């Protein structure tokens, strides 16, 4: 509901969940506390996806697909507006740690020849989340694994015919 309407009220959220708004307030003291819990759950799921991908030890092509599939799963389960998540101080450091881990993996993928060297600094790291977001939103008819196939293929081969 918050993905569709980031300004949704606690009363509307409670009604959608089939509970009284007092029930929501017993669990979350404020709307901000609810959002913080959502961001926390999303970040936990992201960290689990990164860990499951085994970015440091799995073969790079395997790790890339595992990571992309895991993040598409997270994006579909937790489709929340991310601008506030990026600004949420309690989550920022954990999020930055995950970003650094993915960046190190992308450097490894470049060093091992899976990604082309000579690209502008941070190019793959900026492009990959955008591709995963697009696949999460625009390919709902595909499974997470199938959507990941498209993302990885696009990242590795582009959209051209050459």
């Amino acid at each position: 509901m918050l993905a569709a309407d980031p300004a949704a009220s606690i009363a509307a959220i409670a009604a959608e969940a089939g509970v009284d708004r007092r029930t929501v307030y017993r669990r979350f003291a404020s709307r901000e506390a609810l959002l913080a819990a959502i961001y926390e759950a999303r970040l936990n799921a992201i960290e689990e996806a990164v860990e499951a991908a085994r970015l440091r030890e799995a073969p790079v092509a395997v790790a890339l697909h595992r990571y992309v599939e895991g993040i598409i799963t997270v994006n579909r389960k937790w489709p929340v507006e991310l601008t506030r998540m990026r600004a949420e101080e309690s989550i920022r450091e954990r999020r930055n740690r995950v970003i650094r881990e993915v960046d190190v993996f992308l450097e490894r993928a470049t060093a091992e020849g899976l990604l082309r060297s000579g690209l502008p600094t941070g190019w793959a790291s900026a492009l990959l989340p955008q591709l995963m977001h697009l696949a999460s939103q625009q390919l709902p008819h595909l499974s997470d694994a199938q959507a990941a196939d498209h993302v990885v293929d696009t990242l590795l081969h582009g959209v051209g015919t050459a």
Side-chain angles (χ1 to χ4, degrees):
M1 192 170 183
L2 288 168
D5 179 11
S9 68
I10 291 290
I13 292 167
E16 180 73 19
V19 298
D20 186 77
R21 72 185 183 94
R22 291 175 296 200
T23 302
V24 175
Y25 278 116
R26 272 194 293 272
R27 174 81 191 241
F28 305 102
S30 65
R31 187 175 192 292
E32 288 70 32
L34 172 62
L35 287 173
I38 291 168
Y39 297 152
E40 177 83 18
R42 178 180 167 83
L43 187 55
N44 288 341
I46 289 169
E47 289 171 337
E48 289 170 15
V50 168
E51 186 176 326
R54 298 180 50 233
L55 299 178
R56 293 184 186 271
E57 52 282 335
V60 290
V62 172
L64 176 62
H65 196 282
R66 283 181 184 162
Y67 169 71
V68 170
E69 184 176 346
I71 296 303
I72 288 172
T73 301
V74 171
N75 287 347
R76 288 176 170 174
K77 182 173 182 177
W78 301 100
V80 295
E81 196 276 316
L82 297 177
T83 304
R84 288 193 60 188
M85 183 177 176
R86 290 181 189 116
E88 186 72 32
E89 193 169 325
S90 64
I91 293 176
R92 186 178 312 130
E93 182 50 40
R94 282 177 59 201
R95 188 176 172 281
N96 287 342
R97 212 174 13 250
V98 169
I99 290 169
R100 283 191 298 274
E101 187 162 346
V102 173
D103 286 346
V104 167
F105 167 73
L106 292 173
E107 290 170 8
R108 176 180 163 225
T110 302
E112 292 187 21
L114 186 68
L115 298 177
R116 183 167 32 114
S117 62
L119 294 172
T121 303
W123 192 253
S125 149
L127 181 60
L128 185 55
Q130 297 300 320
L131 290 172
M132 292 184 297
H133 177 75
L134 284 171
S136 301
Q137 300 293 312
Q138 295 185 10
L139 302 174
H141 58 287
L142 298 180
S143 70
D144 298 344
Q146 291 169 324
D149 291 343
H150 285 284
V151 169
V152 171
D153 184 61
T154 302
L155 180 70
L156 297 180
H157 305 110
V159 296
T161 59

